[in-house]
Amino acid sequence: MPYQLPANFLWGGATADFQFEGGFNEGGRGLLSHDFETDGSLKIPRHHTMTLPNGEIIKPKSSFFLAEKVPENAQPIFLEDEYYPSHKAVDFYHRYKEDIALMAGMGFNVFRFSICWTRIFPTGEEEKPNEEGLAFYDNVISEMLKYGMEPLITICHDELPMALALKYDGWSSRHVINAYLKYCKVLFERFGDRCRYWLTFNEINAVRGFGPTGVRNPDGQDRYQAVHHMFVASAKAVKLGHEMMPGSQFGAMYAMSELYPASSKPEDVFHRLQARRENWYFIDTMGRGYYHPYVKEIWRKHGVKNIKMDSDDQILLKEGQLDFISFSYYRSNVTQAGDPWFNVGGSPNPNLETTPWGWSVDPLGLRHVMNEIYDRIQKPIFIVENGMGAIDEPDQNGNVQDDYRIKYLRDHLRAMADAILIDGVDCLGYTMWGPIDLVSLSTGEMKKRYGFIYVDMDDKGKGSLDRTPKKSYYWMKKVIETKGAYLNDDYPTP
Ligand code: BG6
């Protein structure tokens, strides 16, 4: 079947504030938990820098997948000999006009970005919002609309005002729900007339650690209690958003790698079902509006004794269901009976090639995941992150010939088109992760690049920060221009 996607299909890119904006102490912005995360690499995990009352420095690991405990009396501290990538990121804060123009040059009709909570409420609890922060996003949105780019706004991308983390132990407290709602209300008031698509949380199924949730003991009981509060917060935001902005569409974003059983042994296949439910837990509850019976088994496995709920929480979940399901897809993994429950994501798929960061490349897995979600929830879906983190070496003229990225994207976009055109999946759009190179979330590196546009900066923030389109930029422009027809075999492929 020829690849030709509907005229209203949304094509674009996706970013997150603390990986992209920089300007961490400008415009009245308050501190985020992420501001205390150092850089790292595949071998050396990123860490927070903190201090104890006796002056001792501690460096808890900050990986958002791993649950590392943070002592109750630890306070964040900046150390002079550490590099903190969020402080400068790649400076979208000062270069948004140039960056948006570059993205418009590829024909994007959507751009997903996240609003930095502490630009709007520096500690999360001020009575009035910070006007300078609102003005920044106002300008960003106006600039996008000038080029016909639809905003897709992530309200909370794995982040929390540091003040809320310290004061309340983050999302383990219901107080944070009120702070989040106050923040949402301001965004809906200011931007609701111009923004239709909203995501309440990013990768809510993956975030565990202190960085994104502010929970110091993110295992079992506290983690699932925090997640319940995030479910309620999301449902309240959806309800409020629908009331304040008729026609608005809400999603939340899930990390959805493909997951295969390691073999056809019944035990492995059943284990896969159970491991997958660790993700369905989030999508089912928010997408269908209620906790399913299997959640009891999940709580038991994670040592959860009791989730405290208010009497109307269950009603709220129902009333604040999502309109669409959005997700990130990068890779596939395998899992087998006996794998520990903290490793629900599985291990790299041995049948596939991997990126330099060990992520298995699996386009068909994307088609499978799209079908799995759509069959299950039967609401439109939206691919809001996909892409290949790779090492790009500019040639002597400063150009990057990233044929490997074109191949990755072509194969994934073909798989996506198959799911839409052959399987009948209702997919609203596709936003490629990091259209302009930005800081890696998992490792804090700059050299793990996703972009169509090269940024001259190294892992320690050195470089001109100049932007240069890569070969993939011109290729993707053609794909968008032809509404996917450029994916057909009759066009040149690298
Ligand atoms: C998703 C996140 O997990 O994957 C992004 O929503 C992140 O914030 C992206 O950057 C890619 O991961 P990484 O670790 O390669 O940056």
Side-chain angles (χ1 to χ4, degrees):
M1 181 178 291
Y3 298 113
Q4 186 75 67
L5 289 164
N8 61 353
F9 190 76
L10 294 168
W11 297 94
T15 60
D17 53 281
F18 59 91
Q19 296 172 261
F20 196 42
E21 281 178 9
F24 89 112
N25 55 4
E26 292 179 65
R29 177 188 181 281
L31 292 171
L32 285 176
S33 42
H34 282 296
D35 295 332
F36 294 89
E37 279 179 303
T38 65
D39 61 326
S41 67
L42 253 189
K43 293 201 181 105
I44 306 168
R46 310 181 71 179
H47 49 260
H48 294 278
T49 50
M50 305 194 91
T51 178
L52 297 175
N54 64 6
E56 189 191 335
I57 301 291
I58 56 163
K59 298 185 174 182
K61 275 194 214 123
S62 62
S63 162
F64 64 110
F65 288 110
L66 295 174
E68 173 119 356
K69 287 187 189 167
V70 173
E72 249 171 52
N73 49 4
Q75 292 292 320
I77 187 173
F78 290 129
L79 301 175
E80 267 178 26
D81 55 349
E82 293 283 7
Y83 178 63
Y84 299 95
S86 74
H87 295 194
K88 177 154 90 169
V90 293
D91 200 30
F92 176 73
Y93 188 68
H94 296 107
R95 295 167 197 249
Y96 68 92
K97 286 194 180 167
E98 180 196 351
D99 287 352
I100 291 170
L102 277 165
M103 292 190 276
M106 296 173 75
F108 281 11
N109 56 4
V110 65
F111 173 45
R112 173 182 173 224
F113 64 98
S114 72
I115 291 187
C116 176
W117 191 337
T118 56
R119 280 201 192 285
I120 312 301
F121 286 102
T123 66
E125 293 198 293
E126 289 77 5
E127 262 182 37
K128 294 212 168 109
N130 170 32
E131 285 299 327
E132 244 186 295
L134 287 167
F136 170 65
Y137 293 109
D138 217 352
N139 293 338
V140 167
I141 291 167
S142 304
E143 199 64 20
M144 289 166 58
L145 294 177
K146 202 165 98 184
Y147 296 104
M149 244 185 252
E150 180 112 40
L152 167 58
I153 297 184
T154 314
I155 298 172
C156 181
H157 192 113
D158 305 3
E159 70 183 28
L160 193 66
M162 187 45 118
L164 292 180
L166 297 174
K167 185 165 171 191
Y168 296 115
D169 202 14
W171 280 102
S172 52
S173 157
R174 277 190 93 96
H175 284 286
V176 179
I177 301 179
N178 300 336
Y180 176 84
L181 256 287
K182 185 167 69 168
Y183 163 53
C184 288
K185 186 160 181 267
V186 167
L187 302 187
F188 301 162
E189 265 160 15
R190 289 300 173 104
F191 308 131
D193 57 336
R194 290 173 292 160
C195 303
R196 198 163 31 138
Y197 293 106
W198 300 84
L199 305 179
T200 54
F201 290 101
N202 182 69
E203 291 197 342
I204 180 169
N205 57 327
V207 295
R208 293 181 180 198
F210 181 71
T213 62
V215 178
R216 287 170 190 260
N217 176 14
D219 268 339
Q221 181 67 44
D222 282 5
R223 178 189 182 224
Y224 281 90
Q225 186 64 58
V227 163
H228 177 72
H229 293 152
M230 292 167 96
F231 286 162
V232 172
S234 173
K236 284 188 168 194
V238 173
K239 254 187 93 177
L240 182 71
H242 284 159
E243 280 160 25
M244 292 177 65
M245 307 176 292
S248 54
Q249 295 283 300
F250 278 80
M253 196 280 222
Y254 307 92
M256 284 300 277
S257 303
E258 174 57 291
L259 189 65
Y260 300 108
S263 79
S264 55
K265 284 188 205 149
E267 295 76 16
D268 288 346
V269 176
F270 191 70
H271 182 84
R272 188 268 178 196
L273 172 94
Q274 287 186 302
R276 202 52 160 171
R277 281 184 171 163
E278 303 267 345
N279 288 319
W280 294 132
Y281 181 94
F282 295 82
I283 300 184
D284 282 342
T285 311
M286 300 171 79
R288 297 163 122 180
Y290 57 95
Y291 279 114
H292 283 236
Y294 66 75
V295 303
K296 290 207 173 114
E297 173 58 6
I298 291 184
W299 290 336
R300 189 195 62 75
K301 278 192 317 227
H302 291 280
V304 177
K305 300 216 165 50
N306 170 38
I307 299 288
K308 284 191 226 105
M309 299 190 195
D310 276 8
S311 53
D312 60 350
D313 282 2
Q314 307 270 8
I315 300 167
L316 268 168
L317 293 182
K318 192 105 228 149
E319 292 175 345
Q321 279 177 63
L322 302 174
D323 301 308
F324 64 90
I325 306 297
S326 68
F327 63 98
S328 64
Y329 177 86
Y330 291 94
R331 54 178 158 171
S332 68
N333 284 330
V334 294
T335 189
Q336 59 192 346
D339 275 356
W341 287 114
F342 59 79
N343 183 23
V344 290
S347 320
N349 189 330
N351 301 304
L352 300 169
E353 285 181 11
T354 57
T355 69
W357 277 265
W359 293 15
S360 313
V361 177
D362 183 2
L364 188 56
L366 172 61
R367 181 172 171 184
H368 188 225
V369 166
M370 290 173 72
N371 276 282
E372 237 191 341
I373 297 175
Y374 189 59
D375 285 355
R376 188 170 183 118
I377 309 292
Q378 301 194 337
K379 289 184 178 175
I381 65 165
F382 203 147
I383 303 167
V384 296
E385 281 186 33
N386 171 242
M388 181 190 194
I391 295 172
D392 294 331
E393 302 283 1
D395 62 20
Q396 65 277 22
N397 302 317
N399 295 319
V400 174
Q401 311 295 337
D402 53 346
D403 291 327
Y404 38 90
R405 182 169 292 109
I406 296 176
K407 182 173 178 344
Y408 178 102
L409 292 173
R410 184 203 58 194
D411 294 348
H412 282 77
L413 288 172
R414 283 179 170 180
M416 173 190 83
D418 286 341
I420 297 170
L421 301 171
I422 301 174
D423 307 330
V425 172
D426 182 1
C427 178
L428 299 170
Y430 173 92
T431 56
M432 203 275 281
W433 176 249
I436 297 175
D437 291 342
L438 41 63
V439 176
S440 158
L441 176 71
S442 54
T443 66
E445 290 166 298
M446 194 57 209
K447 68 169 169 290
K448 188 180 188 189
R449 295 170 185 273
Y450 286 87
F452 296 116
I453 296 155
Y454 187 83
V455 175
D456 176 30
M457 189 176 119
D458 70 12
D459 288 344
K460 295 289 178 192
K462 299 218 169 60
S464 66
L465 272 81
D466 285 352
R467 278 57 170 153
T468 312
K470 304 177 195 175
K471 185 174 176 184
S472 56
Y473 179 96
Y474 302 100
W475 177 83
M476 190 66 186
K477 183 177 160 73
K478 286 274 186 204
V479 173
I480 298 176
E481 226 167 65
T482 60
K483 310 213 178 317
Y486 203 64
L487 298 167
N488 288 309
D489 275 338
D490 32 356
Y491 289 102
T493 48

